[in-house]
Amino acid sequence: MNRFLLISFFLLNTFFATATVKDSLTVAVDSSKIVPKHFTENLSEKYSGSDFDYDSMEGEAENFLGRAINWFFNKLGELFGIHLSPEMYQVVKFIIYGLLIIFAVYILVKLLVGDNASSFFSRKSKMVAPLNIQEEHIENVDLDSYIKNALKEENYRLAIRYMYLKSLKLLSLNNIIDWHFEKTNSDYYREIASESLKENFKKTSYLYDNIWYGEYALDKAGFENAKKDFERLNQNLKNAG
């Protein structure tokens, strides 16, 4: 009998405990009145600009360059009222990154290759200087054939280079200058005694420096104009001889 009472008491306690838990999970119904909020039609215009761009990272999470670009466009917006959308800001940032990468590659190539860095990216880079004047004596080089081949390939810059070397060759053969590949145009200019030849040589040296070292995109018409000054110098050399 005592065992029956004990079991009954245990079952009753379990029932009341379960009922209490169920009652504690009852969700109360909120009967308060809900008032909908309405936004103004020009909300997107009012809160435009980089200050409300929550997609971009700032602070330590963004690199220094990203923070600099963000600062620049913030200042641009403050001064001129120019505000970029988040999408346009990302496009501009990628363009800036791309330009910086290209510039870095160019600097690296320039350090490795030297003054011919721009020619490194050119299709005609193999044609830049097939003649190595450091290894061949200029008096023994058939420069007319080099000029002819350059013109055949429409490489007018290279033709100007060979025409200038031809002028140096003629000056050396006439004992007007003492040619050496390490000398500069100024060195040769000081060696020329004739004032008329000095002026002709000064003009052709100027053309050569700007066209060759300045990598001037020379066309056929420009070559014909420059050619007249080289022919004038060569003709004066013949008259002087």
Side-chain angles (χ1 to χ4, degrees):
M1 186 66 178
N2 291 334
R3 182 180 297 178
F4 175 76
L5 292 174
L6 182 61
I7 294 174
S8 299
F9 178 77
F10 176 77
L11 293 175
L12 289 173
N13 282 337
T14 303
F15 173 77
F16 285 118
T18 303
T20 302
V21 172
K22 290 183 178 180
D23 290 341
S24 63
L25 295 177
T26 303
V27 179
V29 178
D30 187 2
S31 59
S32 59
K33 185 177 181 181
I34 300 175
V35 180
K37 294 289 184 180
H38 298 281
F39 297 98
T40 58
E41 295 180 357
N42 61 345
L43 182 66
S44 58
E45 298 177 0
K46 182 178 180 181
Y47 296 99
S48 61
S50 58
D51 291 338
F52 302 96
D53 179 14
Y54 300 108
D55 292 330
S56 62
M57 297 181 297
E58 296 183 358
E60 296 299 329
E62 191 174 22
N63 58 42
F64 174 78
L65 182 58
R67 295 197 300 271
I69 295 174
N70 188 50
W71 175 87
F72 172 78
F73 283 108
N74 284 338
K75 290 297 181 182
L76 196 67
E78 293 176 1
L79 294 175
F80 303 103
I82 300 175
H83 299 287
L84 299 179
S85 64
E87 294 79 10
M88 182 58 67
Y89 173 76
Q90 292 296 328
V91 171
V92 172
K93 188 167 68 171
F94 287 141
I95 291 175
I96 294 174
Y97 282 153
L99 292 176
L100 289 175
I101 291 173
I102 293 173
F103 178 74
V105 171
Y106 176 79
I107 293 298
L108 179 61
V109 172
K110 190 172 181 64
L111 291 175
L112 296 176
V113 179
D115 293 334
N116 293 328
S118 298
S119 301
F120 181 82
F121 300 98
S122 174
R123 294 180 180 178
K124 297 182 180 180
S125 59
K126 296 181 180 179
M127 299 172 53
V128 170
L131 173 62
N132 189 349
I133 60 174
Q134 297 184 19
E135 298 177 357
E136 300 186 51
H137 207 279
I138 194 171
E139 284 86 350
N140 300 326
V141 179
D142 183 9
L143 289 165
D144 287 327
S145 63
Y146 279 98
I147 295 171
K148 182 179 179 179
N149 290 333
L151 292 176
K152 184 179 180 181
E153 296 173 347
E154 297 183 354
N155 192 338
Y156 300 111
R157 283 184 60 248
L158 191 59
I160 288 294
R161 171 174 168 79
Y162 292 145
M163 290 182 70
Y164 181 74
L165 291 176
K166 180 181 178 181
S167 297
L168 293 179
K169 174 182 177 179
L170 294 175
L171 288 168
S172 179
L173 290 174
N174 285 275
N175 297 318
I176 296 175
I177 64 170
D178 183 18
W179 181 86
H180 192 273
F181 68 88
E182 290 184 345
K183 285 186 177 181
T184 65
N185 298 343
S186 299
D187 294 330
Y188 294 130
Y189 179 80
R190 287 191 292 267
E191 293 178 12
I192 300 174
S194 171
E195 292 299 326
S196 60
L197 284 179
K198 273 180 176 287
E199 289 302 315
N200 292 143
F201 180 77
K202 182 178 180 181
K203 181 65 180 295
T204 55
S205 297
Y206 173 81
L207 289 172
Y208 169 68
D209 287 340
N210 281 273
I211 293 172
W212 181 251
Y213 293 107
E215 298 188 359
Y216 183 79
L218 191 67
D219 57 8
K220 185 176 181 180
F223 170 78
E224 293 296 333
N225 288 331
K227 179 182 176 182
K228 297 176 182 177
D229 290 289
F230 286 93
E231 291 177 342
R232 189 177 298 113
L233 172 62
N234 297 340
Q235 184 62 40
N236 287 343
L237 276 171
K238 292 180 181 179
N239 295 336

